[in-house]
Amino acid sequence: ATLADVHIKTKAKIEAVAAADRFIDDYVNGLKPKALYLHGSFGVGKTYLLGAIANDLADKQIPSLIVYIPDFLREIKAGISDNTINEKLEYVKKVPVLMLDDIGAETMSSWARDEVLGPILQYRMADKLPTFFTSNFNFDELLNHLTFSQRGEKEEVKAARIMQRIRTFADPYLLDGKNYRQLISPKQA
Ligand code: ADP
Ligand code: MG
């Protein structure tokens, strides 16, 4: 994937790709640009666009990491008993450009929110390390998702704190257009 072959060009996609290009230029020039929060429905190409940004950064010798949030949280939970958890967390905290894919798709426990996501964002904020996000949710919907714990309790302050950090890291861009997954499925061909 490259930014150049995002070929279904809706107005929103053109804007998102332009913002991604600007991010890369500014970052290469030593600025501390804001990253992107890509939101939109299933299959519009959010993860694909992250991959394109990661590839363009790699061409410029800038390391990045795409983390699929649902798998990552499962892995971290499974890693509690062994020592790999700290190593993984350290890596995610410190990688020059982090991309958190599909935030909101997980069932976020209070623990995951406050002990995993919170500290990662906190660390990266202090060091001004760019962090991208993708989500099916817009900011308001994600706030709602983060507010209700699995036990059904409402934890507005903690959720608001995370949202505040996410807003500081990234500007929202809506991706629209067709669902690529349907376009490329054999049934549709
Ligand atoms: P989302 O993350 O928004 O759910 P994806 O990025 O996973 O959507 O895209 C869905 C499918 O369409 C994937 O198989 C992806 O590789 C493909 N795809 C998305 N955007 C493009 C594109 N610009 N060109 C070619 N394939 C694409
Ligand atoms: Mg995706």
Side-chain angles (χ1 to χ4, degrees):
T2 70
L3 287 172
D5 55 46
V6 177
H7 53 262
I8 296 184
K9 295 202 183 345
T10 66
K11 187 165 175 282
K13 270 193 183 156
I14 291 169
E15 278 172 19
V17 170
D21 272 329
R22 267 199 312 276
F23 171 88
I24 294 168
D25 280 350
D26 286 352
Y27 189 88
V28 167
N29 289 321
L31 302 174
K32 302 275 180 197
K34 247 177 128 173
L36 283 66
Y37 178 98
L38 301 168
H39 64 105
S41 65
F42 186 73
V44 293
K46 301 182 294 296
T47 303
Y48 186 91
L49 187 53
L50 278 191
I53 297 168
N55 283 337
D56 280 21
L57 288 171
D59 285 344
K60 299 180 163 65
Q61 277 35 269
I62 300 160
S64 65
L65 178 72
I66 302 182
V67 172
Y68 181 60
I69 292 271
D71 283 351
F72 175 68
L73 291 179
R74 260 194 298 278
E75 214 173 305
I76 291 292
K77 220 167 162 184
I80 289 177
S81 47
D82 63 44
N83 287 322
T84 63
I85 181 178
N86 283 333
E87 217 175 289
K88 284 175 182 161
L89 277 173
E90 285 305 291
Y91 192 82
V92 169
K93 278 182 182 171
K94 292 177 181 169
V95 67
V97 178
L98 177 65
M99 304 178 166
L100 296 177
D101 191 24
D102 242 342
I103 189 165
E106 73 298 321
T107 44
M108 177 86 68
S109 63
S110 304
W111 174 80
R113 183 192 59 206
D114 303 331
E115 307 300 328
V116 181
L117 190 59
I120 290 170
L121 298 182
Q122 175 66 35
Y123 182 96
R124 298 187 64 79
M125 202 135 109
D127 275 23
K128 296 202 163 59
L129 297 170
T131 307
F132 287 73
F133 302 84
T134 77
S135 184
N136 284 328
F137 293 148
N138 65 26
F139 279 164
D140 287 342
E141 291 163 340
L142 183 61
L143 174 65
N144 187 55
H145 175 77
L146 293 172
T147 296
F148 291 93
S149 74
Q150 279 170 316
R151 281 169 286 141
E153 289 157 19
K154 239 181 141 183
E155 300 180 317
E156 279 165 327
V157 175
K158 285 175 175 170
R161 195 176 300 146
I162 298 274
M163 275 318 297
Q164 177 59 38
R165 287 183 188 152
I166 293 175
R167 285 172 190 275
T168 309
F169 274 118
D171 288 326
Y173 287 88
L174 175 71
L175 287 197
D176 58 2
K178 297 207 175 70
N179 183 340
Y180 271 98
R181 283 177 230 230
Q182 278 171 5
L183 288 177
I184 59 179
S185 85
K187 273 188 214 143
Q188 306 271 322

